[in-house]
Amino acid sequence: MQIAPSKRPFSPHRVPLPDMAVEAIGLSKTYGSTKEGAGKPALDNVNLAIPRGSRFGLLGPNGAGKSTFINILAGLVRKSSGTAHVWGTDIDSDHRRARAAIGVVPQELNIDPFFTPLELLDLHAGLYGVPPHERRSTEILAAVGLADKADAYARTLSGGMRRRLMVAKAMVHNPPVLVLDEPTAGVDVELRRKIWDYICELNEQGTTILLTTHYLEEAEELCDRIAIINHGQVVACDTTPALLARIDSKELAVTVDRDLDAIPDALAPYTVTLHHPRRLVIQYSPHQTPIGELLNAISATGLSILDLSTEETDLEDLFLHLTAPASDIDAASPS
């Protein structure tokens, strides 16, 4: 179900459409002094551009700076330096319009249990200055599948319903940029799929999605662009396929027609392990070693292939590589 744009004069949809839904240049944030006397940097000269209409994933380990970045955009945290624009509006020079252009769905379920979903949405719309006759609370509840719970107390809703209500709250002022902070944390597989579908539907209607998640397969499936942040710095930012191509590694598993006691000499030039008397696993670089070359090498041993499978590099491999401590990377590097 589509949600029609608001017609109120302050609607961010009435400004010219920017190329970038969110843009940060040199954005930094240092929190107060520690016991040692030095401030703690949460963001360090972050440069990030999120194209309008994209599904953008912001990934990073706990404490990497993701929440600080989001809270600066939403006006909840003051930056130390740099600039940031939301929907073409500077968050400092016109903070009211910038905040109207963004909706944030936090990870925490901050819902008043004594309000009904309809009352909660009307209240939230009022906080954004949406006049009563222009509020779309009923329409939004229907869009997130809560129309039949409009007059039920929020405390009676299931965890999944509350998660959808959080999304509905963020949409009351029709923001062109929607931030989803761990939207599927703690939900079951079926509900997670429903939330994914709804995110895609919102994006197809023109809403730019900024997603943070610890479910890397979620980011890989949903996002067309991904940035990885670590220790307050952006360590990677590209399209999802381009990021996955950074680790040039695949795995070929082959089942042969007879038992082996050792790896055949013809396969010595390759990285091969014997996982089972009849199962060989070969690690290789697709750009350096065509798979046909591997199959020919196996054939040269006189073995027949009964079955084979390949495993691609996934986002988790890249994430772990980019966010691993330097000591771990050094230990994994060949001497």
Side-chain angles (χ1 to χ4, degrees), residues 122-199:
D122 279 342
L123 174 63
H124 214 62
L127 294 175
Y128 275 97
V130 182
H133 66 281
E134 293 182 6
R135 295 174 189 172
R136 301 163 297 119
S137 302
T138 301
E139 179 184 349
I140 294 173
L141 287 174
V144 297
L146 292 176
D148 59 335
K149 301 293 184 180
D151 298 316
Y153 284 118
R155 65 177 179 269
T156 67
L157 301 180
S158 68
M161 292 177 180
R162 295 182 187 189
R163 184 70 61 186
R164 281 181 278 161
L165 182 55
M166 293 296 296
V167 176
K169 281 178 60 181
M171 295 298 296
V172 294
H173 58 299
N174 197 40
V177 180
L178 183 63
V179 178
L180 298 153
D181 189 4
E182 299 284 346
T184 59
V187 304
D188 60 41
V189 175
E190 182 180 1
L191 178 57
R192 182 177 300 164
R193 178 61 60 177
K194 289 181 179 178
I195 293 176
W196 289 7
D197 291 342
Y198 184 61
I199 290 172

Side-chain angles (χ1 to χ4, degrees), residues 3-228:
I3 302 175
S6 170
K7 296 180 181 179
R8 53 198 171 91
F10 189 66
S11 171
H13 289 273
R14 298 180 65 87
V15 302
L17 296 178
D19 291 331
M20 297 297 164
V22 173
E23 189 169 18
I25 300 175
L27 194 63
S28 298
K29 173 63 182 179
T30 301
Y31 286 105
S33 300
T34 64
K35 292 181 180 180
E36 291 75 19
K40 180 182 179 181
L43 292 180
D44 184 9
N45 195 36
V46 168
N47 296 306
L48 202 58
I50 300 176
R52 170 171 50 87
S54 64
R55 295 198 299 265
F56 194 97
L58 182 62
L59 309 181
N62 291 329
K66 304 185 301 296
S67 294
T68 298
F69 179 77
I70 290 170
N71 289 334
I72 289 175
L73 297 181
L76 301 176
V77 170
R78 289 189 176 183
K79 60 184 174 61
S80 298
S81 61
T83 61
H85 292 77
V86 177
W87 208 245
T89 302
D90 188 280
I91 63 172
D92 291 326
S93 63
D94 195 348
H95 63 273
R96 185 180 178 216
R97 186 176 295 279
R99 293 178 188 179
I102 191 170
V104 179
V105 183
Q107 182 177 350
E108 298 78 15
L109 296 174
N110 53 354
I111 296 173
D112 193 315
F114 298 101
F115 279 73
T116 67
L118 186 60
E119 291 170 339
L120 282 169
L121 264 60
D122 279 342
L123 174 63
H124 214 62
L127 294 175
Y128 275 97
V130 182
H133 66 281
E134 293 182 6
R135 295 174 189 172
R136 301 163 297 119
S137 302
T138 301
E139 179 184 349
I140 294 173
L141 287 174
V144 297
L146 292 176
D148 59 335
K149 301 293 184 180
D151 298 316
Y153 284 118
R155 65 177 179 269
T156 67
L157 301 180
S158 68
M161 292 177 180
R162 295 182 187 189
R163 184 70 61 186
R164 281 181 278 161
L165 182 55
M166 293 296 296
V167 176
K169 281 178 60 181
M171 295 298 296
V172 294
H173 58 299
N174 197 40
V177 180
L178 183 63
V179 178
L180 298 153
D181 189 4
E182 299 284 346
T184 59
V187 304
D188 60 41
V189 175
E190 182 180 1
L191 178 57
R192 182 177 300 164
R193 178 61 60 177
K194 289 181 179 178
I195 293 176
W196 289 7
D197 291 342
Y198 184 61
I199 290 172
C200 292
E201 182 180 346
L202 287 173
N203 180 250
E204 289 170 0
Q205 295 174 24
T207 302
T208 301
I209 303 295
L210 173 55
L211 172 73
T212 74
T213 180
H214 285 295
Y215 298 116
L216 299 184
E217 74 280 3
E218 183 171 74
E220 189 172 340
E221 180 167 342
L222 282 179
C223 301
D224 48 44
R225 296 185 67 86
I226 290 174
I228 298 176

Side-chain angles (χ1 to χ4, degrees), residues 308-321:
L308 63 83
S309 63
T310 60
E311 183 175 329
E312 300 277 355
T313 299
D314 60 19
L315 189 59
E316 182 176 355
D317 297 321
L318 178 65
F319 181 86
L320 293 174
H321 175 74

